[in-house]
Amino acid sequence: MTERRQVLAVIGAGPAGLAAALAAAARGVRVVLVDSAAEPGGQFYRQPAPGLGARRPQALHHQWRTWERLRDGLATHLAAGRVSCLSDHHVWCVERDSGRFAVHALLGPEQREPASVRADGVVLATGGYEKVWPFPGWTLPGVITAGGAQAMLKGGLTLPGRTVVVAGTGPLLLPVATGLAAAGARVAALVESADPTTLVRRSAHPRNAVRGARALAAHPGKLAEAGGYAAQLLWHRIPVLRRRAVVEAHGRDRLESVTVAVLGPDGRPVPGTAQRLDCDTLAVGHGLLPHTDLADGLGCRLDGAGVHVDDEQRTDVPGVWAAGEATGIGGAALSLAEGHIAGRSAAARLNGTAPDPRSWAPAARSRTRLRAFFAELDRAYAAPVRWAENVPDATVVCRCEEVTAGAVREAVGSLGAGDLRTVKLLTRAGMGWCQGRMCEPGVAGVAGCDLTPGRRPLARPVPLGVLAAPPPPDAGTSPCPGTSP
Amino acid sequence: MNPLDLVGARPGAPFTVTFDGREIEVLPGQTIAAALWSAGVVAWRTTREGARPRGVFCGIGVCFDCLVTVDGRPGRRACLTPATPGADIGTQAGTGHDD
């Protein structure tokens, strides 16, 4: 009997998935990389469509050398047949049956035709998506997520308008503002509701000195990165407004301006501080959330918003690893470290040997440092105090079902809803096309409920015909469709 | 500066699609959303309840706000769907179905 090579399905071709695929393929495991986009890279390394003929895509990117290393490594493994790459595959479910796995996907962009992959192990590197708190006017055309503006720029080489306000909170706003400006947009302001300089000041405070200073001192690269952004903000003449928020977006059928105000200790706009900024685009974001649907469907335990993993990046379901933003938001460098560890652990375990954690000690050290650093960042970029109380009743909080904050409050107040699920059943908030991904944080905030990740047995809409039909033959052994090296 | 110059783009030959009957020029590889943005269009759907205009929100296929009708088929996500030569793109009212 010839021994069959073990197959590892890696879901997601961003930094975590690519690192996992490369690490596992180099250690004797056959890897099937499954990704929803046309080209590998994920959101962080999203590439312009090949038809656009970009000769300097690095002008839109950070850490390009790392991308070249990942891209070239993937090309080598593809050529050697150690990795196959299924792009344009939108995974809607991973099924576990007698210790093996079936990864069910729909072929994009139509997402009507099914495809399935059989595997002995799975790495979930499903990434994250952006969180936006609701405010009056946030449904107007021209109001987009900060990450969305960046994705459209990186992938489609297009801008949403001429004059942009970038607002919200979190480290993503910096590359978005400077990236849009470099591409020719006038960035009227970067409005940050937190004051990230507290990160440095807090570290100087005796009470926090040890933890904060350790997190910062461990990352001279991160300080240099922050300094680089500061220089670019100056270069592009982008005014930075700290401890302020966009309290309303104005316009009839599209965005025309925003009102920005200083937030007081009660979270309310301080009277006399409101200023109106003309703009045709508002790129807004309040941090990221992990994609956990596939993990949840497999029965993996979640830790807060992310997938729970051990030191080897194993979930509590045998044969399932998770890496990158899916386990908690921490950026591309942390995703690379986690993906690398997941790939090495998976390769060893699938080959029937116990992995030696000493062999990935450098990655484990980066993981420890970066997790500490992002925990500090999370504290510095906290949500504005009592933001939810200031959402007017008339403001739509669920964009799909057009449910207002008033309707959510009524469900809690008069109808006695005490959790997110009951609010959803009473108001339809979270029952629309996006399945609550966009509105869950906003609805939970306005309702005063805990934000519990919604349960979505199907990670995306699936045609009934696909659900009813027998699974298609294994697509994992077919050659890779045009992955440009 | 514009995004194409920033990355030194040399796109293939442009083609046309129609949006609500009007001709729009598209660069090869662009999604429908990118093509419409480049043509200055930011809204291509009206909501079921309030008939309010919507366009791109998340830009990565998660929010379903950018739904559009393509060649008579409603419910396509403009941010994920590549524009193809001659495509007939139309504003989607409500679900896009007669109901």
Side-chain angles (χ1 to χ4, degrees), chain A residues 136-288:
Chain A
W138 77 307
T139 53
L140 278 171
V143 180
I144 54 178
T145 67
Q150 193 181 43
M152 294 279 290
L153 174 58
K154 285 178 178 175
L157 302 182
T158 184
L159 293 169
R162 290 173 191 282
T163 306
V164 185
V165 170
V166 178
T169 190
L172 177 65
L173 302 184
L174 293 163
V176 170
T178 54
L180 291 171
R186 190 176 83 81
V187 178
L190 169 58
V191 185
E192 166 60 65
S193 64
D195 186 356
T197 53
T198 54
L199 183 63
V200 180
R201 265 188 276 127
R202 278 167 46 84
S203 308
H205 191 281
R207 196 177 35 188
N208 306 315
V210 176
R211 188 186 62 203
R214 213 181 264 154
L216 277 178
H219 286 277
K222 290 284 175 197
L223 283 178
E225 200 178 310
Y229 286 128
Q232 287 178 55
L233 290 167
L234 276 175
W235 170 257
H236 293 296
R237 294 162 196 253
I238 301 173
V240 180
L241 309 176
R242 290 192 183 86
R243 291 179 180 275
R244 276 161 225 246
V246 168
V247 293
E248 185 165 1
H250 311 274
R252 267 176 60 81
D253 289 328
R254 64 164 298 167
L255 180 71
E256 289 162 13
S257 64
V258 295
T259 297
V260 174
V262 175
L263 297 180
D266 59 353
R268 289 183 186 280
V270 174
T273 63
Q275 72 187 106
R276 191 102 160 206
L277 300 175
D278 288 336
C279 57
D280 55 23
T281 304
L282 172 63
V284 61
H286 298 102
L288 303 177

Side-chain angles (χ1 to χ4, degrees), chain A residues 85-86 186 374 383 422 480:
Chain A
C85 175
L86 302 177
R186 190 176 83 81
F374 275 86
T422 312
C480 180

Side-chain angles (χ1 to χ4, degrees), chain A residues 243-440:
Chain A
R243 291 179 180 275
R244 276 161 225 246
V246 168
V247 293
E248 185 165 1
H250 311 274
R252 267 176 60 81
D253 289 328
R254 64 164 298 167
L255 180 71
E256 289 162 13
S257 64
V258 295
T259 297
V260 174
V262 175
L263 297 180
D266 59 353
R268 289 183 186 280
V270 174
T273 63
Q275 72 187 106
R276 191 102 160 206
L277 300 175
D278 288 336
C279 57
D280 55 23
T281 304
L282 172 63
V284 61
H286 298 102
L288 303 177
L289 287 171
H291 268 302
T292 55
D293 302 327
L294 297 177
D296 193 44
L298 277 162
C300 301
R301 177 154 76 86
L302 303 186
D303 246 353
V307 183
H308 171 84
V309 288
D310 67 6
D311 285 350
E312 289 181 30
Q313 299 295 134
R314 288 181 297 180
T315 71
D316 63 346
V317 173
V320 182
W321 286 256
E325 309 289 40
T327 70
I329 302 305
L334 178 56
S335 297
L336 288 170
E338 292 192 354
H340 180 76
I341 294 168
R344 291 183 79 130
S345 164
R349 300 266 170 206
L350 290 178
N351 287 328
T353 58
D356 177 7
R358 283 173 304 183
S359 66
W360 63 65
R365 279 196 297 273
S366 318
R367 181 177 62 182
T368 304
R369 281 201 311 266
L370 287 161
R371 281 182 182 164
F373 179 74
F374 275 86
E376 280 299 307
L377 273 192
D378 258 2
R379 281 184 270 272
Y381 289 107
V385 232
R386 298 165 69 180
W387 63 270
E389 291 170 32
N390 297 312
V391 179
D393 277 346
T395 299
V396 163
V397 289
C398 166
R399 302 172 65 92
C400 299
E401 296 295 312
E402 298 170 81
V403 180
T404 62
V408 170
R409 289 185 179 118
E410 195 193 341
V412 176
S414 322
L415 305 174
D419 59 78
L420 206 49
R421 190 169 165 274
T422 312
V423 171
K424 177 175 169 178
L425 291 172
L426 289 171
T427 63
R428 297 194 57 80
M431 282 196 186
W433 280 302
C434 86
Q435 288 293 291
R437 288 182 182 90
M438 287 295 122
C439 70
E440 253 164 17

Side-chain angles (χ1 to χ4, degrees), chain A residues 92 95 104-106 112-116 118 462-473:
Chain A
W92 55 271
E95 213 180 348
H104 300 293
L106 293 168
R112 281 192 290 196
E113 296 301 317
S116 291
R118 308 285 182 275
V462 181
L464 284 175
V466 170
L467 288 175

Side-chain angles (χ1 to χ4, degrees), chain B:
Chain B
M1 183 56 77
N2 67 56
L4 292 161
D5 290 343
L6 178 66
V7 299
R10 281 186 187 158
F15 56 84
T16 57
V17 299
T18 59
F19 172 68
D20 288 347
R22 156 192 162 201
E23 285 207 339
I24 282 176
E25 195 163 272
V26 181
L27 297 176
Q30 283 189 319
T31 60
I32 289 175
L36 291 173
W37 271 16
S38 299
V41 180
V42 293
W44 47 81
R45 176 169 85 86
T46 55
T47 60
R48 288 167 297 161
E49 297 293 321
R52 297 295 298 149
R54 295 279 176 90
V56 167
F57 184 61
C58 82
I60 60 169
V62 178
C63 78
F64 292 73
D65 246 349
C66 68
L67 297 180
V68 68
T69 298
V70 185
D71 294 329
R73 196 177 145 214
R76 307 291 302 275
R77 277 173 281 181
C79 73
L80 296 183
T81 310
T84 51
D88 175 17
I89 301 161
T91 293
Q92 175 173 331
T95 61
H97 299 284
D98 301 322
D99 53 10

Side-chain angles (χ1 to χ4, degrees), chain A residues 44-182:
Chain A
F44 191 76
Y45 287 121
R46 182 186 276 262
Q47 304 296 317
L52 291 167
R55 287 173 297 158
R56 291 190 306 275
Q58 59 269 40
L60 289 167
H61 283 273
H62 299 91
Q63 285 109 49
W64 184 255
R65 300 274 303 265
T66 306
W67 165 246
E68 288 178 320
R69 188 171 58 75
L70 294 170
R71 181 194 65 189
D72 297 347
L74 178 63
T76 305
H77 286 304
L78 284 170
R82 291 184 288 264
V83 176
S84 53
C85 175
L86 302 177
S87 50
D88 273 323
H89 278 57
H90 300 254
V91 178
W92 55 271
C93 172
V94 181
E95 213 180 348
R96 184 164 180 267
D97 184 23
S98 342
R100 289 201 83 207
F101 297 90
V103 178
H104 300 293
L106 293 168
L107 297 177
E110 288 80 12
Q111 299 188 35
R112 281 192 290 196
E113 296 301 317
S116 291
V117 174
R118 308 285 182 275
D120 304 288
V122 177
V123 176
L124 301 171
T126 45
Y129 60 98
E130 210 158 3
K131 176 170 70 179
V132 182
W133 313 118
F135 55 90
W138 77 307
T139 53
L140 278 171
V143 180
I144 54 178
T145 67
Q150 193 181 43
M152 294 279 290
L153 174 58
K154 285 178 178 175
L157 302 182
T158 184
L159 293 169
R162 290 173 191 282
T163 306
V164 185
V165 170
V166 178
T169 190
L172 177 65
L173 302 184
L174 293 163
V176 170
T178 54
L180 291 171

